[in-house]
Every structure is written in C-alpha cells, then in structure tokens.
Amino acid sequence: MLDIRLIRENPDKVNELLKRRNPDLSINSILEIDAQRRKIQAQADDLRAKRKNMSQKIGVMKKNGENTDAIQEEVKQTGEEIKLLEDKEQELDLQQKNLLLSTPNIPDETTPIGSSDADNVEIKKWGEPVHPSFEQKAHWDICTAKNIVDFERGVKLSQSRFSLYRGKGAQLERAIINFFLDTHTKEHGYEEILPPVMVNSSAMTGTGQLPKFAQDMYKCEEEDLYLIPTAEVPVTNIYQGEILNEDELPKYMTAYTPCFRREAGSAGKDTRGLIRQHQFNKVELVKLCTPETSVEEHEKLTRNAERILELLELPYRRVALSTGDIGFSARKCFDLEVWLPSYNAYKEISSCSNFGDFQARRANIRYRNKVTGKPAFVHTLNGSGLAVGRTFAAILENFQNEDGSVTIPKVLRKYTLWDVL
RNA sequence: GGAGUAGUGGCCGAGUAGGUUUAAGGCGGCACCCUGCUAAGGUGUUGUGUGGAGUAAUCUGCACCGUGAGUUCGAAUCUCACCUGCUCCGCCA
C-alpha cells in the first residue's frame, strides 16, 4: 500500500513512477476521494466535539437536579447529523482503502523502464551451459524413463499440472529441500520456519495477493482460508500488527512449504514436465529490516540464492526485471534464471524482491526507531531459495550422461546417499 | 461439536445500579536529581491511529478498553452477533 501522505504531497512524482509500470495507472481518483474524505472528517470531528461537551454538561446538570429536556433534544439532533456524516466518511474511507489496496507499488528509480519481460536487463552470468555431443533429453523424458515422476497418475489423482514423485525422484526432491534449508540456516544465518500452508484473507492482503489476485489462488469454500501460493505469505505476516524493537532487525527467516497456484491464464504454457505445476515445493527466504539497510539486504539475499546454484554447479544468470514485468508489490526485483537444455534458454528459478514498506504498511509491521522513538514501517524482502521442482528439472537436464544416467551434484550426495540416478 | 469462563495501554492489573475516565495502581522504559562508584532512593514523564494550525520546535480536534452492529442525550461499563484464549465433556491423527 502506498503512503497516502506521499501521494498527497508528491502526486506528480507518484503518477510518473506508476506510469512506468503501466500508462493507465494513476492516483488522481485517490486524491479526489482523499480531499473529500478529509473535509467530511473535519466536519464530523467538530460535531463530535460539540456532542461530547454537551453530553458532559447534561451529566452535571442532572446531578444538580436541573431540567435537561431542551439540551437533550439538541444533542439528539447533533447525533443524527453526525450519523449522516459518519456514514459518508465510512464510505469514502472504504473507497479510498480499496483503491489504495489495488494500486501497485511504485518502482525503484533503478528498476529498468520497460513494458514487458523483453525489457528485462541481464546483470550477470555464471557458469557455462554444456553442449555435449549427444542429444540432451528433456527432464520429463528422463523422469518417465527412470520412473521417478509419474505424470499420468498424478493427473489421475487430482488434475493436470499435478504430479507424483516416486522412488529416487521423491528422495531427490527431499534431498534438495534439505540441502537448501541446511545451507540457509547453517551458512546464511536464517531461522527455519515451518508455517501453516493455509492462511486467512488478512495475511493474503498483507503481502498483496488480495484483493487483486484472488483468482490465482485456491480458496477454501467453508472458511476464510486460502492455500498459500508461496511461503512469503505466512512468513512475512508472522509479525503482522506488531511493533518490533530495532535491535531485533534484521530478521532472516527461511521456510520450506508446498505452494499452490491456480495458474489462471497460463493455459498452454509450459504444459510438459515440472516447470509449471499447481502444487510445487519451494524454499523461501524472507527478511524484515530497517529502510536504511534494505538495498544492501536485497543484494545479500539475492547472493544467498545465487550461492545455491553455484554450489549445485548450475549455470544461471541474474536479470533485473523491468517496470513492465515486476510484481505488484515489488519496487525492485532480480530474477535468477537457470539454464534448461530442453528450453534452450534460461528459465526463472528464483525471484528476489525488495518491497520497501509496501507490504509492511498493508500488514502493519513496524519497528520502533531508536533515534526518533517512534514506530516506523519495516522494509520486507523475499526470494526463492530456490524453487525445488525447477531445481530438480535443471539437475536432471544439466547433469544427464550419454548413457541416460544422471550424475547427482556433489553437494547433494550426502542427502540422497546415492550419486547416480 | 457441547457446556462454562474470560479478552483493558509495552507488560501486570483496577474500573459495570452508563455521566467532565485515555482510562487508578504497579512493573518496565525515558529524563533529571541525589550519591566518590555501583546498588538503592527521589522527582517528572510515558500509547496508537487519523485530521487541523505552524518553516519548525510545538500546539490542537477526533477516534481507539478483542471485532462488528445496536440501545442511549451520553457506553470500557447495557444488548446482539462474531473472533480468540482457558477449563470440562465428546470425537480424533
């Protein structure tokens, strides 16, 4: 959520930045409602003050045995006026809030300007894709040949885009999860979290999935609960509504969870294999920090994710997302893309975002600033560290041998307890 | 799922025959004083949100006693619904 004061004081600047995302965006209607709202609020406040004083007076008069009929009638009328104004105030408040909740974050000045993913900027490349003499198989063919992912029966059990890992496939998936969590907790200093995978609408609103992206999520009919699309949601919202001590910051948290996405609008995209599933595993990194440190923490978080790829010896590149491709809540975002031979391209495997105070304002996550003594919003960050299913696919494709076997990366062997698939 | 009970400020904890209560008291925090240092003691101060005035320091209005609605001239106090915690019963991995 954008700061209404920022909008009020710098409307042109905010508009200019929003239009970098999408020329149709504008905060003008928010400004109009805000002006109306404040006017009504001032009127209502005055009347409430009047009523308060008169009511207190009635109390005193009654104690003295005086007749209060006339003044009671006056207060009653004032009360009716107040009610009208309050209804209006509430309505405007709601309108303004809805507009604010549906307005995306303003991009950081350093976010490349563009209208789509074609305008993303490559920042760096690591490793060299191998191009062996034999023909590299796609991971879905390797999975089927080795019977480590049963696509057909996964679909039978639920729907398309659900899959069933089995045997060494299930073991490899679990090995990857453990490797990720151990690296982040033991080497990068994150606290391990195992959160609920169903959360309420308040949490979903806090991180920005609601109200705009309800159709992307699975919702429980009977209750106010949604299946999480990412661990970002429960983990970021852990401190919802709280005021933290500045000493407690930065907070580093990591969580493995399954993630659930309806993938509405992705029909026909990545239909084969493990790249785009309705349910997939992911290890997420989440940070809460002070505004002064968020740029530096963002870089460190991105490096934590990159290090995983480097330890696995998977070629990747880092891309800065353009204003046309960046997520709703983010002000700056780096995607990490891993080399996938089946796509003959780099494919997203991690998305590391700095949200500034956008999510913190929605979720009301604050800290007490040591200098001012006043509460201020934290900055929130997160990134995949990494998407597990896509890592699984990348390993199969990049480490396959001519004889059809797959060599397991060295760092994973102590988790799989076998080294060739 | 059934029955009972509770939900007040950073924490503990008063306050219900409705009335000048944002809310006693304590702890903690902060500032100053006392003291050779420490400990102890003394004095004062102490929330959040949202408006208004002012360059600013600051001053000031309103709202907030789980959430929402209602009764009333007036609600922390009364009514209703919901949420959450605790206790007991039932069921259960």
Side-chain angles (χ1 to χ4, degrees):
Chain A
M1 192 158 61
L2 296 178
D3 183 0
I4 184 65
R5 268 168 265 183
L6 178 78
I7 294 176
R8 227 180 261 156
E9 285 157 26
N10 309 284
D12 296 338
K13 184 73 192 161
V14 173
N15 266 331
E16 193 256 306
L17 286 168
L18 280 177
K19 282 174 197 305
R20 289 187 188 182
R21 276 184 179 267
N22 179 342
D24 298 337
L25 290 170
S26 156
I27 45 81
N28 295 351
S29 52
I30 296 177
L31 268 182
E32 281 169 33
I33 289 169
D34 182 53
Q36 274 188 60
R37 203 202 88 243
R38 281 190 292 162
K39 202 173 124 197
I40 302 263
Q41 188 192 333
Q43 290 172 6
D45 280 357
D46 286 348
L47 286 182
R48 274 189 287 255
K50 185 177 156 194
R51 176 175 67 183
K52 196 164 144 187
N53 288 328
M54 288 201 292
S55 292
Q56 285 170 355
K57 208 158 126 194
I58 291 171
V60 176
M61 287 170 77
K62 287 213 164 175
K63 212 167 271 178
N64 297 339
E66 298 173 48
N67 182 297
T68 57
D69 290 354
I71 186 167
Q72 278 193 30
E73 182 55 31
E74 194 183 346
V75 176
K76 188 168 189 173
Q77 278 176 25
T78 307
E80 282 159 15
E81 288 177 58
I82 290 172
K83 183 85 178 85
L84 288 176
L85 285 170
E86 278 180 343
D87 288 349
K88 186 73 185 157
E89 191 182 358
Q90 208 169 33
E91 188 196 321
L92 289 169
D93 206 60
L94 194 70
Q95 278 182 33
Q96 176 172 330
K97 194 156 192 205
N98 285 340
L99 284 173
L100 279 172
L101 286 174
S102 303
T103 303
N105 201 358
I106 50 178
D108 189 80
E109 290 286 356
T110 61
T111 291
I113 299 176
S115 56
S116 76
D117 57 356
D119 302 305
N120 295 346
V121 175
E122 182 179 296
I123 304 286
K124 66 187 266 195
K125 256 186 187 160
W126 186 92
E128 269 300 315
V130 288
H131 297 286
S133 51
F134 64 91
E135 192 179 342
Q136 290 176 299
K137 288 201 246 173
H139 69 271
W140 50 87
D141 289 330
I142 300 172
C143 286
T144 303
K146 299 275 177 197
N147 194 26
I148 54 173
V149 180
D150 190 335
F151 294 105
E152 288 82 3
R153 292 196 178 91
V155 173
K156 179 167 79 177
L157 289 171
S158 43
Q159 279 192 348
S160 66
R161 294 195 195 277
F162 282 90
S163 47
L164 174 70
Y165 289 72
R166 58 198 315 167
K168 284 188 170 177
Q171 288 176 20
L172 177 57
E173 182 86 356
R174 183 158 55 85
I176 293 169
I177 293 166
N178 284 333
F179 164 63
F180 286 178
L181 285 174
D182 281 352
T183 306
H184 293 311
T185 56
K186 292 176 183 162
E187 297 181 29
H188 300 156
Y190 290 76
E191 176 194 8
E192 184 169 338
I193 306 284
L194 189 64
V197 298
M198 299 182 83
V199 302
N200 57 33
S201 54
S202 166
M204 285 295 188
T205 305
T207 30
Q209 281 74 22
L210 287 179
K212 276 201 87 174
F213 306 102
Q215 76 285 354
D216 294 338
M217 295 180 301
Y218 290 104
K219 170 144 185 17
C220 185
E221 274 294 322
E222 309 293 328
E223 332 218 7
D224 178 33
L225 288 173
Y226 297 79
L227 285 171
I228 59 170
T230 159
E232 160 192 357
V233 180
V235 177
T236 306
N237 281 290
I238 287 175
Y239 295 103
Q240 187 186 81
E242 299 190 28
I243 302 177
L244 302 165
N245 289 323
E246 189 170 340
D247 299 334
E248 299 175 64
L249 300 176
K251 285 215 178 276
Y252 287 18
M253 294 172 285
T254 184
Y256 152 70
T257 66
C259 302
F260 304 89
R261 300 187 182 177
R262 292 191 58 226
E263 295 294 343
S266 300
K269 234 186 201 176
D270 308 313
T271 49
R272 304 197 72 183
L274 296 169
I275 300 306
R276 193 172 299 274
Q277 297 277 291
H278 287 310
Q279 176 186 334
F280 61 96
N281 295 310
K282 183 157 61 68
V283 169
E284 187 74 0
L285 304 171
V286 174
K287 288 185 176 183
L288 307 183
C289 67
T290 61
E292 294 75 30
T293 58
S294 76
V295 170
E296 173 194 338
E297 293 292 352
H298 184 208
E299 175 61 26
K300 279 165 72 180
L301 182 144
T302 309
R303 279 299 302 148
N304 294 150
E306 284 177 349
R307 177 139 185 276
I308 296 280
L309 288 162
E310 290 166 17
L311 288 169
L312 289 169
E313 301 178 68
L314 287 168
Y316 71 91
R317 61 173 194 160
R318 187 205 289 201
V319 165
L321 294 197
S322 80
T323 52
D325 197 29
I326 197 171
F328 177 83
S329 301
R331 65 153 58 154
K332 176 92 187 251
C333 180
F334 295 121
D335 268 10
L336 303 183
E337 300 179 338
V338 70
W339 178 256
L340 272 190
S342 59
Y343 281 70
N344 194 36
Y346 288 94
K347 188 77 183 166
E348 176 189 342
I349 196 165
S350 171
S351 202
C352 301
S353 305
N354 185 350
F355 303 94
D357 62 9
F358 187 85
Q359 291 182 327
R361 185 168 266 114
R362 288 170 158 253
N364 198 21
I365 307 168
R366 294 176 291 175
Y367 74 101
R368 195 167 293 282
N369 184 294
K370 268 188 171 170
V371 177
T372 65
K374 293 289 171 195
F377 291 108
V378 301
H379 278 198
T380 61
L381 311 161
N382 70 52
S384 344
L386 308 163
V388 178
R390 290 188 180 185
T391 304
F392 183 103
I395 289 169
L396 295 190
E397 295 192 7
N398 283 285
F399 292 97
Q400 61 182 299
N401 304 309
E402 188 163 12
D403 64 1
S405 66
V406 176
T407 307
I408 296 303
K410 290 186 205 75
V411 289
L412 281 182
R413 291 179 196 164
K414 69 172 177 179
Y415 294 97
T416 53
L417 304 178
W418 36 266
D419 52 15
V420 178
L421 183 76

